[in-house]
C-alpha cells in the first residue's frame, strides 16, 4: 500500500530510482539546493565570526549561545534544559524556550572545533538545503512521477518567502526538512502490519522535532490533522480510511508512548517546571498576517530588489506569506487544471489540500482582520482560539507557513500532469509563461549582513578569570538582553573555548514576569539596568542621586556581580548605543573604572 493517501487511486507513473537519468536529476537538485542555500547565506560566509544578520543579530546571538551551552552541558554533565548561567539567581527554563537541544548535541564537536558563529552558519545553510532535499524525496518517491515536477515543488517550498525570511537567524523555523519526514511517517502508519515500527519511527521523529522546533511541530500536527480529516470523510476515500483506521490508531498509540517516554522530562519542565509561563507575551494582533500580504512580494527576492516589496510584515523575519499575486493566480489555475480531469480519489486529495491551505491562511490573519496595514475590527477565528493552552503561545502569522508546502505540492502535481499529458504548443507556452511570471520574482536574494563588534580580548584571552571566581557573575553594560546581546556572545565564546563558566544577571530568554501571567523577554528591570539602558539609548547621563547609587549597588549585590565590563564598542541589535554615556553613568554609580586589555572594568569582592 502506498505511504500517502495522494497515491491511492490515481498514482502517476513513477521514474525508476536507479536509472541513470533519475540519478542525474537527483544530483542536479542537490547541486541547485546547496547553491541556493549558500547564495542566501553568502553574506555570513564572508566572515562568520565578525558578520551578523542585520535585521536579527539578537536571535543569531541567542542561537550561537544555545549551541555553545548545549555542547557544554552535555560534555560537563549539566542539565541542557535548565541553566543558572543566565538570569541570576533564578535561572532559565530552556524547555519553554527554543533550546534546539538535538542540534546542540549533534554539532557539539563542530562547535568546539570552529566556534558557535561558524556552526550556526553551517546549520542554517544545511537547513535550507536539507529542506529542499527532504521535500524532493517525498515528492519524487511518493507523490509524482517526474523528477522535474518534484524539483520545482521542493525548491519552491525550501526557498519560499517564509523560509527565506526565517533564514534571518531562526535555526528552528528553517528546519523545514522535518515536515516531509513527519508527513511520510504519519502516512506510513496505514500500512498493514507495520504500525509498530511506524509508530516507533514517528515517535522518535516527534521527539527530535520537539527539541528543534516545538511550534513548528505543533503546526505540522494541526495541518496533518486537518488534511486527514477532510480526506477521510470524502466519499471517495471513506471506505479506505475506515479500513486503515485500526492500524493507524495502533501506530499513533505507539507514537504517543515512544514520544511520551523521550519527552517526559522536557514536557514536565515546559508545563510544570520552574520559571515557566503561559503564553509568550507577544501581541497576536501585531504578530498576525495582513490579508494583503499574501499578494505582496518579500524583501529578500528579485521583486524586492526591484522595489516591489512592502512593509506589511511585523518585521523582516516574519514575511510568512508574501507569495505575490501572480503565484496566487497560478495556484488557482493549477488547482482548476488538476480538478477538471481528476479521478474521485484525486479530488479527495485536492479538496483536503485546498481546505488545509484556506484554514491556515485564515487563522494566520490573527484575531482581527487587517487589510493593507489598516485594521477592520472584524473578529476572526483565531480570536476565538487564542485563549486555548498551547495556541496562546503561537504567533498566528506563522500559521501561513503551512500554505507554502500546499502550493509546492500543487505546483509539482501540475508539472507532473503537463509532462505526462503535454498540452498543445500554445497552451504549453502559456503555462511556461505563467510559471516564470509567478516564480522568477520570488527567487531569493542574499540576506542582509553587517559587521558586529568582535568579542573583546578581555574575554578571548581569558583575562576575565583573574577577576571572576569560578562560576561567579560578570555583566557587561548594558545588561544582556535581546537588544544588547553581547553578554551571551561572550559567554558562548568562553564555553566553546573551554575557559570555564561565568554567569550573567540577565540574558535573552523568555521567562515569567509578563502581564497576566504571560512571558516576557529577559527578567523584570531593576534600577541599575534601567539607568544603564537609558544612558546607552539616549546618550545622556541620567540624574544620579544617593538613592540611585544605593539601589544600583544593592542590585549588584543581589546578583552577586564580581565584574562589570564595558567594551569600547557595544553591539546594539536594534539601535546604536553611546559608549561614552554608559561609561560616565557607570562611573557616577560605581566609581572610577580601571583599564584592562580592551575594556573598562569595575570589580567587587566575591560574595
Amino acid at each position: 500500500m502506498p505511504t500517502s493517501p495522494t497515491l491511492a487511486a490515481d498514482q502517476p507513473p513513477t521514474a525508476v530510482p536507479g536509472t541513470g537519468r533519475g540519478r542525474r536529476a537527483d544530483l542536479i537538485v542537490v547541486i541547485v539546493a546547496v547553491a541556493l542555500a549558500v547564495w542566501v547565506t553568502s553574506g555570513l560566509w564572508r566572515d562568520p565570526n565578525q558578520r551578523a544578520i542585520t535585521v536579527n543579530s539578537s536571535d543569531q546571538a541567542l542561537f550561537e549561545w544555545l549551541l555553545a551551552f548545549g555542547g557544554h552541558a552535555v560534555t560537563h554533565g549539566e542539565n541542557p534544559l535548565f541553566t543558572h548561567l543566565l538570569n541570576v539567581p533564578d535561572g532559565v527554563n530552556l524547555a519553554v524556550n527554543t533550546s534546539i537541544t538535538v542540534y546542540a548535541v549533534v554539532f557539539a564537536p563542530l562547535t568546539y572545533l570552529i566556534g558557535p558563529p561558524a556552526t550556526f552558519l553551517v546549520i542554517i545553510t544545511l537547513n535550507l538545503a536539507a529542506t529542499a532535499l527532504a521535500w524532493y524525496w517525498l515528492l519524487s518517491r511518493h507523490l509524482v512521477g517526474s523528477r522535474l515536477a518534484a524539483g520545482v515543488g521542493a525548491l519552491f517550498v525550501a526557498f519560499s518567502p517564509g523560509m527565506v525570511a526565517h533564514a534571518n537567524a531562526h535555526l528552528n523555523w528553517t528546519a523545514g526538512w522535518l515536515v516531509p519526514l513527519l508527513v511520510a511517517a504519519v502516512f506510513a502508519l496505514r500500512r498493514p502490519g507495520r504500525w509498530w515500527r511506524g509508530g516507533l519511527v514517528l515517535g522518535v521523529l516527534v521527539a527530535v522535532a520537539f527539541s528543534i522546533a516545538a511550534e513548528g511541530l505543533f503546526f505540522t500536527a494541526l495541518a496533518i490533522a486537518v488534511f486527514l480529516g477532510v480526506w477521510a470523510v470524502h466519499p471517495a476515500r471513506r471506505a479506505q480510511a475506515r479500513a486503515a483506521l485500526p492500524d493507524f490508531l495502533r501506530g499513533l498509540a505507539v507514537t504517543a508512548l515512544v514520544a511520551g517516554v523521550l519527552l517526559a522530562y522536557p514536557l514536565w519542565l515546559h508545563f510544570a517546571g520552574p520559571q515557566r509561563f503561559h503564553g509568550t507575551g507577544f501581541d497576536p494582533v501585531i504578530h498576525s498576517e495582513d490579508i494583503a500580504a499574501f499578494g505582496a512580494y518579500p524583501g529578500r527576492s528579485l521583486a524586492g530588489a526591484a522595489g516591489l516589496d512592502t512593509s506589511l510584515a511585523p518585521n523582516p523575519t516574519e514575511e510568512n506569506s508574501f507569495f505575490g499575486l501572480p503565484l496566487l493566480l497560478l495556484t488557482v489555475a493549477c488547482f482548476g487544471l488538476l480538478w477538471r480531469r481528476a479521478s474521485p480519489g484525486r479530488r479527495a486529495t485536492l479538496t483536503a489540500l485546498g481546505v488545509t491551505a484556506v484554514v491556515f491562511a485564515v487563522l494566520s490573519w490573527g484575531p482581527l482582520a487587517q487589510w493593507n496595514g489598516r485594521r477592520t475590527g472584524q473578529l476572526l477565528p483565531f480570536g476565538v482560539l487564542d485563549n486555548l493552552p498551547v495556541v496562546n503561545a503561537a504567533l498566528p502569522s506563522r500559521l501561513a507557513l503551512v500554505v507554502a508546502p500546499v502550493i509546492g505540492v500543487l505546483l509539482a502535481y501540475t508539472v507532473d500532469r503537463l509532462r505526462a499529458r503535454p498540452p498543445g504548443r500554445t497552451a504549453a507556452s502559456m503555462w511556461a509563461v505563467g510559471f516564470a511570471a509567478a516564480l522568477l520574482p520570488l527567487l531569493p536574494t542574499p540576506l542582509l549582513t553587517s559587521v558586529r563588534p568582535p568579542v573583546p580580548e578581555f574575554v578571548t584571552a581569558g583575562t576575565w578569570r583573574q577577576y571572576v571566581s569560578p562560576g561567579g557573575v560578570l555583566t557587561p553594560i548594558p545588561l544582556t538582553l535581546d537588544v544588547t546581546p553581547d553578554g551571551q556572545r561572550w559567554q558562548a565564546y568562553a564555553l566553546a573555548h573551554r575557559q570555564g563558566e561565568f554567569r550573567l544577571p540577565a540574558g535573552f530568554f523568555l521567562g515569567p514576569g509578563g502581564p497576566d501571567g504571560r512571558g516576557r523577554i529577559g527578567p523584570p528591570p531593576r534600577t541599575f539596568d534601567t539607568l544603564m539602558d537609558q544612558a546607552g539609548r539616549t546618550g545622556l547621563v541620567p540624574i544620579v542621586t544617593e538613592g540611585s547609587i544605593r539601589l544600583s549597588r544593592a542590585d549588584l549585590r543581589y546578583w552577586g556581580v564580581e565584574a562589570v565590563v564595558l567594551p569600547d564598542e557595544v553591539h546594539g541589535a536594534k539601535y546604536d548605543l553611546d559608549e561614552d554615556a554608559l561609561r560616565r553613568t557607570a562611573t557616577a554609580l560605581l566609581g572610577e573604572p580601571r583599564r584592562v586589555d580592551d575594556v573598562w572594568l569595575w570589580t567587587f569582592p566575591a560574595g
Side-chain angles (χ1 to χ4, degrees):
M1 182 177 288
T3 61
S4 167
T6 59
L7 295 177
D10 49 353
Q11 181 174 349
T14 303
V16 180
T19 63
R21 180 177 297 179
R23 288 194 295 269
R24 285 194 297 273
D26 294 347
L27 179 60
I28 290 172
V29 173
V30 170
I31 292 172
V32 173
V34 173
L36 282 173
V38 172
W39 166 249
V40 170
T41 58
S42 57
L44 292 176
W45 284 102
R46 292 164 56 186
D47 189 346
N49 289 313
Q50 298 301 323
R51 299 194 71 83
I53 293 172
T54 303
V55 301
N56 202 15
S57 61
S58 54
D59 276 11
Q60 180 177 342
L62 170 62
F63 281 110
E64 290 171 359
W65 180 87
L66 287 166
L67 291 171
F69 169 74
H72 174 81
V74 170
T75 56
H76 288 74
E78 299 180 9
N79 187 347
L81 295 176
F82 196 94
T83 181
H84 286 282
L85 293 180
L86 304 177
N87 194 31
V88 172
D90 298 317
V92 175
N93 184 340
L94 294 176
V96 292
N97 284 261
T98 304
S99 54
I100 57 167
T101 311
V102 167
Y103 277 162
V105 173
V106 171
F107 286 91
L110 189 64
T111 301
Y112 281 123
L113 180 65
I114 64 177
T119 303
F120 164 86
L121 174 56
V122 168
I123 295 174
I124 205 161
T125 305
L126 288 177
N127 268 351
L128 294 172
T131 298
L133 298 181
W135 276 105
Y136 177 72
W137 165 79
L138 180 65
L139 289 166
S140 65
R141 273 37 174 195
H142 298 293
L143 301 182
V144 297
S146 164
R147 300 298 175 91
L148 173 63
V152 170
L155 291 170
F156 168 76
V157 175
F159 298 95
S160 60
M163 283 290 291
V164 174
H166 283 285
N168 284 297
H170 288 168
L171 293 189
N172 51 343
W173 282 107
T174 52
W177 54 270
L178 287 163
V179 177
L181 299 185
L182 288 164
V183 169
V186 168
F187 292 149
L189 296 180
R190 302 185 325 147
R191 297 178 179 178
R194 302 285 291 277
W195 55 269
W196 171 258
R197 189 175 75 173
L200 177 64
V201 170
L202 182 58
V204 173
L205 274 174
V206 167
V208 171
F210 182 89
S211 75
I212 294 176
E215 191 178 356
L217 173 65
F218 178 55
F219 289 178
T220 302
L222 289 179
I224 293 174
V226 171
F227 177 92
L228 287 179
V230 175
W231 179 87
V233 300
H234 193 280
R237 296 299 194 191
R238 202 173 295 156
Q240 185 181 356
R242 189 182 301 113
L245 186 60
D247 280 336
F248 187 78
L249 293 179
R250 292 188 191 102
L252 285 183
V254 175
T255 298
L257 177 63
V258 173
V261 170
L262 295 175
L263 296 175
Y265 178 65
L267 287 173
W268 174 81
L269 267 182
H270 188 98
F271 292 106
Q275 293 300 106
R276 68 188 182 280
F277 53 89
H278 301 286
T280 61
F282 293 104
D283 189 342
V285 174
I286 295 175
H287 292 275
S288 57
E289 205 74 351
D290 192 305
I291 299 174
F294 280 77
Y297 284 116
R300 306 315 305 158
S301 66
L302 289 184
L308 300 179
D309 57 324
T310 67
S311 57
L312 295 177
N315 60 67
T317 65
E318 301 294 341
E319 293 179 332
N320 296 307
S321 54
F322 290 78
F323 299 115
L325 186 58
L327 179 60
L328 297 182
L329 295 175
L330 176 66
T331 302
V332 172
C334 290
F335 192 90
L337 173 72
L338 295 167
W339 183 272
R340 190 167 62 250
R341 296 185 178 179
S343 66
R346 177 53 64 91
R347 286 191 174 182
T349 297
L350 293 174
T351 300
L353 287 171
V355 170
T356 302
V358 170
V359 166
F360 279 82
V362 172
L363 288 176
S364 76
W365 298 340
L368 297 174
Q370 176 176 293
W371 174 265
N372 204 26
R374 304 179 68 177
R375 304 201 184 280
T376 66
Q378 176 63 49
L379 181 66
L380 295 174
F382 190 88
V384 179
L385 303 174
D386 186 35
N387 291 323
L388 294 177
V390 183
V391 176
N392 63 7
L395 299 185
S397 67
R398 293 176 177 175
L399 290 161
L401 294 171
V402 173
V403 179
V406 173
I407 294 176
V409 171
L410 290 175
L411 294 178
Y413 278 162
T414 302
V415 173
D416 194 49
R417 185 189 181 284
L418 292 174
R419 286 179 62 82
R421 303 174 187 175
R425 181 174 299 178
T426 300
S429 298
M430 292 177 63
W431 278 106
V433 170
F435 269 82
L439 297 180
L440 286 178
L442 296 176
L443 281 176
T445 55
L447 304 175
L448 295 175
T449 63
S450 54
V451 176
R452 63 180 174 183
V455 177
E457 182 186 349
F458 178 77
V459 174
T460 60
T463 308
W464 65 270
R465 290 178 292 187
Q466 301 174 25
Y467 303 95
V468 180
S469 59
V473 181
L474 172 153
T475 184
I477 49 175
L479 270 66
T480 304
L481 290 171
D482 58 325
V483 292
T484 50
D486 279 347
Q488 271 170 269
R489 291 179 56 217
W490 301 356
Q491 195 178 69
Y493 184 96
L495 295 175
H497 290 79
R498 302 177 186 272
Q499 291 183 351
E501 298 180 355
F502 63 79
R503 296 183 293 154
L504 295 169
F508 180 13
F509 62 89
L510 285 173
D516 302 322
R518 291 178 175 263
R520 57 166 288 125
I521 296 177
R526 300 174 73 93
T527 300
F528 180 71
D529 50 300
T530 299
L531 292 174
M532 300 312 302
D533 175 70
Q534 180 182 342
R537 283 189 297 106
T538 66
L540 302 173
V541 178
I543 298 174
V544 175
T545 65
E546 289 296 325
S548 58
I549 293 174
R550 184 173 63 255
L551 289 173
S552 295
R553 290 177 176 264
D555 290 340
L556 298 181
R557 287 194 298 272
Y558 171 77
W559 293 319
V561 171
E562 297 176 37
V564 175
V565 180
L566 174 64
D568 291 333
E569 186 177 359
V570 177
H571 177 56
K574 305 298 181 183
Y575 44 77
D576 292 332
L577 293 155
D578 191 310
E579 291 83 6
D580 182 64
L582 286 168
R583 183 168 62 86
R584 288 187 289 130
T585 302
T587 300
L589 292 170
L590 308 177
E592 289 293 331
R594 73 181 85 175
R595 184 71 177 177
V596 178
D597 292 341
D598 54 349
V599 303
W600 295 102
L601 178 67
W602 294 261
T603 57
F604 305 90

